């Protein structure tokens, strides 16, 4: 068995989908700060401090994600676990393809004023393994996560959901490294 962990230092990539909501948050805090203090300069300081606080929260979440997310390769297949309690398992015969994997980090609904500025957090896109597998979801996940998972295709023969393991989150060049070697050994047809 081989274990791979996310490499630290990928915070800019992690934070990139949040740029538009953070910019909107800064503007709203700037305006509120300017209104309550009566000063545009103080409003800018309030906006900058509030946005910095939100970035600090994102950095803490990223640290937890990178330290607690592990992908394991074994003779049986590939398994992904994270610090929140999610677990995804794919057995080698049940992997259908290597493909793009979109990981949602926040509710996909847009925020903002109808008819005005609206923003949303984009998914984190990577490449990984997709197939019919097993998924364990922790009890306290938000409703939008449960709704999204309920819409995932299900294999008509086995009833297992389609799941994905985003390997390029662990190593951008995974196909030419040890993870790729595992896939080539057990499923060379996927690496054509």
């Amino acid at each position: 068995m081989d274990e791979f962990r996310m490499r630290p230092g990928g915070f800019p990539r992690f934070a990139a989908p949040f740029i538009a909501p953070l910019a909107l948050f800064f503007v709203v805090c700037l305006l509120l700060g300017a209104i309550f203090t009566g000063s545009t300069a103080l409003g800018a300081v309030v906006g900058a401090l509030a946005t910095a606080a939100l970035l600090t929260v994102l950095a803490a979440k990223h640290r937890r994600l990178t330290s607690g997310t592990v992908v394991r390769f074994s003779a049986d297949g590939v398994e992904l676990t994270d610090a929140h309690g999610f677990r995804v398992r794919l057995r080698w015969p049940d992997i259908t393809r290597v493909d793009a994997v979109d990981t949602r980090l926040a509710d996909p609904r847009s925020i903002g004023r109808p008819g005005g500025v609206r923003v949303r957090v984009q998914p984190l896109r990577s490449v990984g393994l997709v197939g019919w597998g097993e998924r364990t979801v922790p009890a306290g996940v938000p409703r939008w996560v449960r709704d999204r998972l309920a819409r995932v295709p299900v294999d008509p023969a086995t009833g297992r959901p389609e799941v994905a393991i985003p390997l390029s989150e662990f190593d951008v060049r995974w196909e030419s490294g040890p993870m790729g070697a595992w896939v080539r050994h057990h499923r060379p047809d996927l690496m054509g």
Side-chain angles (χ1 to χ4, degrees), residues 65-79:
L65 175 74
T66 56
S67 66
T69 304
V70 179
V71 67
R72 292 177 183 89
F73 286 76
S74 70
D76 293 331
V78 185
E79 178 180 287

Side-chain angles (χ1 to χ4, degrees), residues 69-163:
T69 304
V70 179
V71 67
R72 292 177 183 89
F73 286 76
S74 70
D76 293 331
V78 185
E79 178 180 287
L80 171 78
T81 58
D82 75 8
H84 298 287
F86 282 94
R87 185 167 72 186
V88 175
R89 268 189 255 172
L90 274 169
R91 292 175 346 134
W92 291 115
D94 299 328
I95 298 172
T96 57
R97 65 192 184 279
V98 172
D99 205 347
V101 175
D102 286 341
T103 304
R104 285 247 169 236
L105 302 171
D107 192 335
R109 292 179 298 183
S110 295
I111 57 172
R113 198 173 55 109
V117 176
R118 298 190 54 82
V119 296
R120 76 170 140 176
V121 176
Q122 297 299 319
L124 196 57
R125 182 157 270 207
S126 58
V127 176
L129 302 174
V130 180
W132 307 112
E134 300 169 32
R135 177 181 53 233
T136 303
V137 180
V141 298
R143 182 183 175 114
W144 69 266
V145 173
R146 289 202 184 278
D147 291 345
R148 184 170 181 262
L149 294 176
R151 292 190 304 269
V152 169
V154 175
D155 182 13
T158 64
R160 287 191 308 248
E162 185 176 59
V163 297

Side-chain angles (χ1 to χ4, degrees), residues 16-55:
F18 293 94
I19 288 174
L22 282 169
L24 179 63
F25 182 76
F26 171 77
V27 170
V28 168
C29 289
L30 180 143
L31 292 173
L32 288 173
I35 290 169
F36 288 120
T37 64
S39 166
T40 305
L42 284 176
V45 170
V46 168
L49 289 174
T51 305
L54 225 74
L55 274 170

